Amino acid sequence: MSAPRPADPHPETTGTASPALLRDFYRTMLTARLLDEEAVALQRQGVFPAYVSLRGQEAAQVGSAAALDRDHDFAFPTYREMAVALALDVDMVGYLASHRALWHGGLYDPMRSRFAPINAVVGGPVPHAVGWALGERLRGDPGCAIAYFGDGASSEGDVHEAMNFAAVFAAPVVFFCQNNQWALSVPNDRQVAGGSIAARAAGYGMPGVTVDGNDVVAVHAAVREALERARSGAGPSVIEARTYRLGPHSTSDDPGRYRDPDEERRWRERDPIARLRAVLERDGHADTAFFEEAEREAGEQAIRIRDGVSSAPPPGGEEMFTHVYREPTEALRAQQRAWREEAEL
């Protein structure tokens, strides 16, 4: 696969970033795109039982992750934040192990990477992020949390309760909504009252910002500002990154049943990777050699990760009984004994 080329002859970004940072953004976003394609192929080949693509949301994820303080902050992802994991140097074979159903939450070290276990509950990462952030504030530590969720999750009660709790207690957390226009097959206008998720922040007494989620520079600047605000003790913020899911909701979904092809075409013309490439070319920050090298390195990394997760050994059956309870119950021990006896037959 070749990197997407820009359809817009006049690319724009909001804010500024150094040429070196822009090139880093491009490399990470491109690697995420190619790895995402490999993951979809693994699902089609039966290696993954299911997979959730991030195609089209690379700028929102990479830009937000790059703003984090890797020594102190913590990211709380859903099942779609593969590019966030990549940007935070998570062990990607361990990350994708969850999609292969080798281990719930992934086989990477969350504490080292500052990337919490994958959470497949809709809206689930949001209260977790608030709890962690409040702990940081009570300890007097400088860390901030970023909670990832989608436009569909914004309608969950857990998200509203977490926002209210965070605002009351001035928890240092950034609520980062990737509004990709579709809550599975339900469009924004059918499930987001008022048309804006960021506007809801006012009801909790916190700032809400809407940003172009396909502009990696704008996303990075907005998240950095929100983190600085939280770190200063001013409390939480809501950022709504407006982007688009270019692929299906998951590999079991058919967007052709509910989306207009013209809508998809318009958003493909705003592809975040092509857009960043156009900015780099226009401003003279990268040449053909850079793009060729970036594509070669990204492709090699994606293949290496693909092969690593494909060949990873499955866990032993005993792990079904591990970490269920801190102190195993007698009923659990009995189930484990019964399983062991059957396994040995």
Side-chain angles (χ1 to χ4, degrees), residues 120-188:
V121 176
V122 177
V126 181
H128 292 179
V130 172
W132 183 91
L134 182 60
E136 284 289 286
R137 188 180 73 78
L138 293 174
R139 285 191 299 269
D141 291 339
C144 298
I146 183 168
Y148 288 95
F149 61 103
D151 46 295
S154 72
S155 298
E156 293 287 333
D158 285 358
V159 173
H160 293 277
E161 292 167 14
M163 287 183 178
N164 186 65
F165 189 93
V168 168
F169 291 98
V173 59
V174 176
F175 297 101
F176 188 79
C177 176
Q178 292 174 85
N179 183 347
N180 64 20
Q181 312 301 313
W182 289 90
L184 211 163
S185 59
V186 181
N188 272 187

Side-chain angles (χ1 to χ4, degrees), residues 25-343:
F25 285 159
Y26 183 85
R27 282 188 286 258
T28 306
M29 290 165 61
L30 180 59
T31 303
R33 174 68 60 87
L34 298 185
L35 181 56
D36 188 72
E37 292 179 356
E38 294 290 351
V40 171
L42 287 176
Q43 191 281 327
R44 300 307 189 205
Q45 295 162 14
V47 178
F48 290 172
Y51 179 70
V52 180
S53 173
L54 62 90
R55 187 181 183 90
Q57 299 180 215
E58 294 89 353
Q61 295 193 14
V62 172
S64 59
L68 298 174
D69 181 331
R70 300 275 293 277
D71 292 325
H72 299 106
D73 297 342
F74 223 101
F76 289 81
T78 73
Y79 42 66
R80 203 185 296 274
E81 274 68 55
M82 187 265 281
V84 176
L86 189 68
L88 294 178
D89 292 330
V90 172
D91 170 17
M92 296 308 294
V93 171
Y95 172 88
L96 289 173
S98 64
H99 291 284
R100 196 181 143 199
L102 295 182
W103 186 252
H104 47 82
L107 283 168
Y108 57 89
D109 181 354
M111 296 302 294
R112 185 197 66 79
S113 61
R114 315 299 290 177
F115 185 81
I118 297 168
N119 193 322
V121 176
V122 177
V126 181
H128 292 179
V130 172
W132 183 91
L134 182 60
E136 284 289 286
R137 188 180 73 78
L138 293 174
R139 285 191 299 269
D141 291 339
C144 298
I146 183 168
Y148 288 95
F149 61 103
D151 46 295
S154 72
S155 298
E156 293 287 333
D158 285 358
V159 173
H160 293 277
E161 292 167 14
M163 287 183 178
N164 186 65
F165 189 93
V168 168
F169 291 98
V173 59
V174 176
F175 297 101
F176 188 79
C177 176
Q178 292 174 85
N179 183 347
N180 64 20
Q181 312 301 313
W182 289 90
L184 211 163
S185 59
V186 181
N188 272 187
D189 60 6
R190 295 278 302 279
Q191 69 98 26
V192 178
S196 171
I197 293 157
R200 295 175 179 174
Y204 304 113
M206 68 176 86
V209 175
T210 300
V211 66
D212 183 347
N214 284 14
D215 181 347
V216 66
V217 177
V219 170
H220 182 258
V223 174
R224 186 174 55 191
E225 181 177 345
L227 288 168
E228 290 172 354
R229 179 179 185 276
R231 218 179 304 282
S232 72
S237 305
V238 175
I239 296 175
E240 178 183 2
R242 292 186 175 247
T243 181
Y244 193 77
R245 164 170 56 80
L246 289 176
H249 173 77
S250 72
T251 47
S252 61
D253 175 41
D254 177 10
R257 299 180 62 184
Y258 56 84
R259 289 204 310 207
D260 183 347
D262 287 340
E263 175 187 281
E264 295 182 340
R265 176 188 53 76
R266 289 193 300 270
W267 279 96
R268 280 196 298 271
E269 291 174 353
R270 300 171 61 186
D271 186 297
I273 299 177
R275 183 173 177 175
L276 180 55
R277 174 171 180 150
V279 170
L280 287 165
E281 291 178 326
R282 181 198 65 191
D283 296 340
H285 296 326
D287 56 14
T288 301
F290 165 80
F291 293 114
E292 290 177 350
E293 180 68 7
E295 187 162 353
R296 183 189 64 79
E297 291 179 352
E300 290 176 354
Q301 186 175 355
I303 291 171
R304 184 168 61 252
I305 295 167
R306 176 203 68 190
D307 292 346
V309 72
S310 298
S311 61
E318 291 274 0
E319 291 191 1
M320 288 190 292
F321 308 96
T322 305
H323 307 308
V324 177
Y325 298 104
R326 182 175 179 179
E327 298 293 336
T329 64
E330 184 52 43
L332 185 66
R333 290 194 182 96
Q335 292 172 17
Q336 187 174 17
R337 287 194 296 270
W339 174 86
R340 191 179 295 123
E341 290 170 1
E342 296 237 355

